[in-house]
Amino acid sequence: MGAGTEPDGSSRSDEEWERFVRESVAGAADAPKEPSARAREVAKRLRAEPGRTPEGWRSYTPARPRRRTGWYAAGLFASLGLLAVVALAPGWVVDVFAGADSPPSAAETARPTEAPPAAAAQRPTREEPFRGSPAAGWASGAEGITVPKAEAVGWMSAAEVERALARSRDFLLASSLDRRVLRGEHPEKAIALINPHQKDVQDLLRTAFVTPSEKNDPLLLFSRFQPSRTQLVGDAVKTRGRLAYQEGEHGALRVTADVTFVYPVTRAGTSGDDEIVRTIVRRELVLSWDDPAKVVTEPGTFSVVSYKYDMTNGGCGAPTGYITPPFGTDRRADEAGAEIDPYDRSAPVGQGGPSGDRCGEATRS
């Protein structure tokens, strides 16, 4: 076979091979799968020309993707790229494969106009506890809570607003995602962020953990499960929501948090493929970062303006200070009220169905 002859017997001129090499470097869609000896010779000559540094035959830049030039290149470099992602962000890979039935959702920056689409009906497992729910495509933990860009508001500079937003999200993490708090321990880190001079909230905190009631219930602000009864499945809690802010009274920074938390749980002390229940809690908090020159407060703390929540699969009995997911036949007793889609974030908290201590039937969970 001649230097300019292809396996099928056709031949190419030097000009054609030079065009082929240039197009291969640029990602031509019709490039042959492997360069011949003549092509390699032309590529060598091109590299020797001043100012030319062509890429390798199989180069691919994930940060600047081009159209694919063939399965051999896409497959090789997709594999290499996946290895790099696993090394740099293993949690993301786990989330994506755990929610393979639902594509990743874009970050929420404003209230959605409709409920998320229905996912394929699939039974959750210990390996995939979010399977069959919209939460399969949600981010986990702090990554699912969108924080807006900070600008100066009232008595705070942009840098101070940025710190206040970060601490507002820290409260959500400490109150609804801290593993020790979820296991029923005292939420010390979260409480430390609340203005100690706010009497009504401090009264609630002093009473709620000792003698919980409808008025003073830890669940108004914190997510807690009783470890002797309930255990979390896996390491991930799916989240979706956002922070927003505006100027409040006396020039304060008023932060609104609207976040949905999805907790996969099972009975304590069980193993294997047991019943898995997803408890969904949506919280809306309004926090005020007050000017210490106008309001009695402590540095680094906020005052709680209001708190509301919706809960699905969290129990309907008298307050115990813990979320009590229903298992087995207990689930029928919890499904006696109005219907609610716990993944629908298009309406304000409390307007889409049962809120707080009221219970209802979830259209999906």
Side-chain angles (χ1 to χ4, degrees), residues 155-156 164 167 191-199 202 288-304:
W155 70 282
M156 284 186 166
R167 287 173 178 166
I191 291 175
L193 291 167
I194 301 175
N195 180 5
H197 303 288
Q198 189 178 7
K199 186 178 184 302
Q202 293 301 323
S288 181
W289 292 88
D290 299 308
D291 183 350
K294 300 177 180 178
V295 176
V296 178
T297 186
E298 294 294 328
T301 68
F302 57 77
S303 297
V304 180

Side-chain angles (χ1 to χ4, degrees), residues 36-334:
S36 67
R38 186 56 173 271
R40 292 192 293 270
E41 179 182 337
V42 175
K44 181 179 180 181
R45 176 163 56 81
L46 286 174
R47 284 194 295 269
E49 292 182 20
R52 289 191 182 275
T53 309
E55 300 178 42
W57 284 97
R58 301 188 183 187
S59 64
Y60 178 73
T61 306
R64 298 171 60 188
R66 295 194 288 260
R67 58 180 178 172
R68 291 177 176 177
T69 59
W71 286 109
Y72 73 96
L76 173 63
F77 289 95
S79 298
L80 294 176
L82 179 59
L83 291 176
V85 170
V86 171
L88 296 174
W92 179 86
V93 175
V94 171
D95 286 347
V96 169
F97 281 94
D101 62 324
S102 182
S105 303
E108 183 178 290
T109 57
R111 177 172 292 159
T113 57
E114 59 185 4
Q122 292 179 299
R123 183 170 177 265
T125 66
R126 285 184 175 270
E127 293 73 27
E128 299 182 33
F130 302 100
R131 187 174 67 165
S133 79
W138 292 5
S140 299
E143 293 182 359
I145 305 173
T146 305
V147 179
K149 181 181 178 182
E151 298 180 357
V153 170
W155 70 282
M156 284 186 166
S157 66
E160 290 170 324
V161 169
E162 184 176 16
R163 284 194 294 272
L165 290 173
R167 287 173 178 166
S168 298
R169 187 172 69 167
D170 287 345
F171 178 79
L172 295 171
L173 305 184
S175 62
S176 298
L177 289 171
D178 185 298
R179 304 298 288 195
R180 292 170 298 181
V181 176
L182 294 178
R183 290 194 298 266
E185 296 185 23
H186 201 67
E188 296 176 358
K189 291 183 179 179
I191 291 175
L193 291 167
I194 301 175
N195 180 5
H197 303 288
Q198 189 178 7
K199 186 178 184 302
D200 55 344
V201 175
Q202 293 301 323
D203 288 345
L204 181 154
L205 296 174
R206 276 191 294 270
T207 306
F209 298 98
V210 180
T211 54
S213 63
E214 290 186 7
K215 181 180 178 181
N216 295 322
D217 189 344
L219 302 185
L220 295 171
L221 291 170
F222 312 103
S223 293
R224 308 167 73 233
F225 295 90
Q226 193 169 19
S228 62
R229 182 185 185 277
T230 308
Q231 66 182 25
L232 290 162
V233 177
D235 297 325
V237 172
K238 295 290 188 171
T239 56
R240 185 155 183 83
R242 66 196 182 278
L243 301 184
Y245 66 92
Q246 63 185 40
E247 185 172 346
E249 294 183 6
H250 309 298
L253 172 70
R254 178 166 290 196
V255 178
T256 299
D258 182 353
V259 182
T260 298
F261 303 87
V262 184
Y263 306 98
V265 295
T266 189
R267 291 184 180 90
T270 58
S271 60
D273 196 21
D274 300 292
E275 180 184 13
I276 293 174
V277 171
R278 287 186 286 253
T279 296
I280 302 106
V281 181
R282 181 182 174 192
R283 296 190 180 279
E284 183 181 291
L285 298 170
V286 180
L287 314 175
S288 181
W289 292 88
D290 299 308
D291 183 350
K294 300 177 180 178
V295 176
V296 178
T297 186
E298 294 294 328
T301 68
F302 57 77
S303 297
V304 180
V305 177
S306 65
Y307 42 82
K308 295 187 291 184
Y309 74 102
D310 286 336
M311 183 183 300
T312 303
N313 290 336
C316 290
T320 63
Y322 299 101
I323 298 172
T324 55
F327 298 106
T329 57
D330 292 340
R331 298 191 69 173
R332 288 195 292 271
D334 267 16

